[in-house]
Amino acid sequence: MDNKTLTDILSKRLDVSLDTVNSMMDGLTKIVGDSCAELDSVALPAFGTFEPRKRLERVALHPASGKRLLVPPKIVVTFKPSAILKQRVRNGE
């Protein structure tokens, strides 16, 4: 499902305009992004948790040349689905 399909479905289910749904989606992504940038996790009930993790600096080998490279530290965001979401996917709801 792409963004346009998702916003169309939300618009119909919530009985609001597409502009309202788009602004809600933009707000949600901004909140999740800002919270994760501050290393704070975001839990959405019945959906899951977005959790930032800090990867440390490390040395890696370039596969083609075999040279050693220094990989800088970075923040990655992981998603852990809730038990309710896992059950719904399993049951095909």
PDB file of all heavy atoms in Angstrom, residues 3 9 14 16 24 36 48 57-58 61 64-65 75-76 92:
ATOM      1  N   ASN A   3       1.319   5.647  -0.014  1.00  0.00           N
ATOM      2  CA  ASN A   3       0.824   6.749   0.809  1.00  0.00           C
ATOM      3  C   ASN A   3      -0.534   7.259   0.341  1.00  0.00           C
ATOM      4  O   ASN A   3      -1.412   7.545   1.165  1.00  0.00           O
ATOM      5  CB  ASN A   3       1.845   7.891   0.806  1.00  0.00           C
ATOM      6  CG  ASN A   3       1.479   8.977   1.788  1.00  0.00           C
ATOM      7  OD1 ASN A   3       1.096   8.693   2.909  1.00  0.00           O
ATOM      8  ND2 ASN A   3       1.589  10.214   1.357  1.00  0.00           N
ATOM      9  N   ILE A   9      -7.967   5.858   2.272  1.00  0.00           N
ATOM     10  CA  ILE A   9      -8.713   4.984   3.193  1.00  0.00           C
ATOM     11  C   ILE A   9      -8.971   5.694   4.514  1.00  0.00           C
ATOM     12  O   ILE A   9     -10.097   5.647   5.044  1.00  0.00           O
ATOM     13  CB  ILE A   9      -7.946   3.659   3.406  1.00  0.00           C
ATOM     14  CG1 ILE A   9      -7.943   2.838   2.118  1.00  0.00           C
ATOM     15  CG2 ILE A   9      -8.561   2.853   4.541  1.00  0.00           C
ATOM     16  CD1 ILE A   9      -7.026   1.627   2.160  1.00  0.00           C
ATOM     17  N   LEU A  14     -12.432   8.091   8.527  1.00  0.00           N
ATOM     18  CA  LEU A  14     -12.573   9.145   9.530  1.00  0.00           C
ATOM     19  C   LEU A  14     -13.552  10.233   9.107  1.00  0.00           C
ATOM     20  O   LEU A  14     -13.881  11.103   9.906  1.00  0.00           O
ATOM     21  CB  LEU A  14     -11.202   9.772   9.823  1.00  0.00           C
ATOM     22  CG  LEU A  14     -10.140   8.842  10.397  1.00  0.00           C
ATOM     23  CD1 LEU A  14      -8.805   9.569  10.521  1.00  0.00           C
ATOM     24  CD2 LEU A  14     -10.572   8.283  11.740  1.00  0.00           C
ATOM     25  N   VAL A  16     -13.088  12.745   7.002  1.00  0.00           N
ATOM     26  CA  VAL A  16     -12.441  14.056   6.984  1.00  0.00           C
ATOM     27  C   VAL A  16     -11.789  14.254   5.613  1.00  0.00           C
ATOM     28  O   VAL A  16     -11.655  13.317   4.831  1.00  0.00           O
ATOM     29  CB  VAL A  16     -11.381  14.205   8.106  1.00  0.00           C
ATOM     30  CG1 VAL A  16     -12.027  14.187   9.472  1.00  0.00           C
ATOM     31  CG2 VAL A  16     -10.315  13.143   8.007  1.00  0.00           C
ATOM     32  N   MET A  24      -2.274  15.348   9.400  1.00  0.00           N
ATOM     33  CA  MET A  24      -2.129  14.426  10.534  1.00  0.00           C
ATOM     34  C   MET A  24      -0.944  13.484  10.318  1.00  0.00           C
ATOM     35  O   MET A  24      -0.157  13.244  11.236  1.00  0.00           O
ATOM     36  CB  MET A  24      -3.400  13.596  10.721  1.00  0.00           C
ATOM     37  CG  MET A  24      -4.538  14.300  11.376  1.00  0.00           C
ATOM     38  SD  MET A  24      -5.792  13.081  11.763  1.00  0.00           S
ATOM     39  CE  MET A  24      -7.247  13.933  11.260  1.00  0.00           C
ATOM     40  N   CYS A  36      12.682  10.141  18.061  1.00  0.00           N
ATOM     41  CA  CYS A  36      13.763   9.188  17.808  1.00  0.00           C
ATOM     42  C   CYS A  36      15.111   9.890  17.700  1.00  0.00           C
ATOM     43  O   CYS A  36      16.127   9.338  18.110  1.00  0.00           O
ATOM     44  CB  CYS A  36      13.472   8.368  16.555  1.00  0.00           C
ATOM     45  SG  CYS A  36      12.126   7.180  16.792  1.00  0.00           S
ATOM     46  N   GLY A  48       2.683  -0.835  17.697  1.00  0.00           N
ATOM     47  CA  GLY A  48       4.060  -1.215  17.974  1.00  0.00           C
ATOM     48  C   GLY A  48       4.877  -0.072  18.529  1.00  0.00           C
ATOM     49  O   GLY A  48       4.344   0.983  18.865  1.00  0.00           O
ATOM     50  N   GLU A  57      30.848   3.461  16.608  1.00  0.00           N
ATOM     51  CA  GLU A  57      31.837   3.539  15.541  1.00  0.00           C
ATOM     52  C   GLU A  57      32.530   2.176  15.428  1.00  0.00           C
ATOM     53  O   GLU A  57      32.777   1.510  16.427  1.00  0.00           O
ATOM     54  CB  GLU A  57      32.857   4.612  15.918  1.00  0.00           C
ATOM     55  CG  GLU A  57      33.908   4.863  14.909  1.00  0.00           C
ATOM     56  CD  GLU A  57      34.800   6.005  15.355  1.00  0.00           C
ATOM     57  OE1 GLU A  57      35.541   5.827  16.337  1.00  0.00           O
ATOM     58  OE2 GLU A  57      34.738   7.059  14.731  1.00  0.00           O
ATOM     59  N   ARG A  58      32.826   1.747  14.176  1.00  0.00           N
ATOM     60  CA  ARG A  58      33.459   0.442  14.001  1.00  0.00           C
ATOM     61  C   ARG A  58      34.346   0.460  12.765  1.00  0.00           C
ATOM     62  O   ARG A  58      34.256   1.346  11.928  1.00  0.00           O
ATOM     63  CB  ARG A  58      32.416  -0.656  13.877  1.00  0.00           C
ATOM     64  CG  ARG A  58      31.507  -0.510  12.682  1.00  0.00           C
ATOM     65  CD  ARG A  58      30.361  -1.536  12.724  1.00  0.00           C
ATOM     66  NE  ARG A  58      29.420  -1.276  11.653  1.00  0.00           N
ATOM     67  CZ  ARG A  58      29.486  -1.809  10.446  1.00  0.00           C
ATOM     68  NH1 ARG A  58      30.451  -2.660  10.160  1.00  0.00           N
ATOM     69  NH2 ARG A  58      28.587  -1.524   9.535  1.00  0.00           N
ATOM     70  N   LEU A  61      35.649  -3.896   6.637  1.00  0.00           N
ATOM     71  CA  LEU A  61      36.480  -4.172   5.473  1.00  0.00           C
ATOM     72  C   LEU A  61      35.672  -3.950   4.208  1.00  0.00           C
ATOM     73  O   LEU A  61      34.534  -4.410   4.098  1.00  0.00           O
ATOM     74  CB  LEU A  61      36.981  -5.613   5.505  1.00  0.00           C
ATOM     75  CG  LEU A  61      37.994  -5.971   6.580  1.00  0.00           C
ATOM     76  CD1 LEU A  61      38.320  -7.460   6.527  1.00  0.00           C
ATOM     77  CD2 LEU A  61      39.253  -5.159   6.432  1.00  0.00           C
ATOM     78  N   ALA A  64      35.433  -5.336  -1.946  1.00  0.00           N
ATOM     79  CA  ALA A  64      36.165  -5.444  -3.210  1.00  0.00           C
ATOM     80  C   ALA A  64      37.666  -5.229  -3.025  1.00  0.00           C
ATOM     81  O   ALA A  64      38.478  -5.992  -3.550  1.00  0.00           O
ATOM     82  CB  ALA A  64      35.610  -4.446  -4.219  1.00  0.00           C
ATOM     83  N   SER A  65      38.045  -4.196  -2.288  1.00  0.00           N
ATOM     84  CA  SER A  65      39.463  -3.852  -2.181  1.00  0.00           C
ATOM     85  C   SER A  65      40.128  -4.452  -0.950  1.00  0.00           C
ATOM     86  O   SER A  65      41.350  -4.548  -0.898  1.00  0.00           O
ATOM     87  CB  SER A  65      39.629  -2.331  -2.151  1.00  0.00           C
ATOM     88  OG  SER A  65      39.043  -1.806  -0.979  1.00  0.00           O
ATOM     89  N   ILE A  75      22.549   6.671  14.404  1.00  0.00           N
ATOM     90  CA  ILE A  75      21.322   6.276  15.081  1.00  0.00           C
ATOM     91  C   ILE A  75      20.438   5.577  14.067  1.00  0.00           C
ATOM     92  O   ILE A  75      20.180   6.100  12.989  1.00  0.00           O
ATOM     93  CB  ILE A  75      20.599   7.500  15.675  1.00  0.00           C
ATOM     94  CG1 ILE A  75      21.477   8.175  16.727  1.00  0.00           C
ATOM     95  CG2 ILE A  75      19.255   7.091  16.275  1.00  0.00           C
ATOM     96  CD1 ILE A  75      20.942   9.494  17.212  1.00  0.00           C
ATOM     97  N   VAL A  76      19.971   4.369  14.413  1.00  0.00           N
ATOM     98  CA  VAL A  76      19.049   3.631  13.563  1.00  0.00           C
ATOM     99  C   VAL A  76      17.748   3.442  14.337  1.00  0.00           C
ATOM    100  O   VAL A  76      17.749   3.343  15.557  1.00  0.00           O
ATOM    101  CB  VAL A  76      19.616   2.268  13.115  1.00  0.00           C
ATOM    102  CG1 VAL A  76      20.816   2.441  12.220  1.00  0.00           C
ATOM    103  CG2 VAL A  76      19.957   1.411  14.302  1.00  0.00           C
ATOM    104  N   GLY A  92      -5.144 -12.876   9.650  1.00  0.00           N
ATOM    105  CA  GLY A  92      -5.594 -12.335   8.385  1.00  0.00           C
ATOM    106  C   GLY A  92      -6.712 -11.311   8.508  1.00  0.00           C
ATOM    107  O   GLY A  92      -7.521 -11.144   7.606  1.00  0.00           O
TER     108      GLY A  92
END
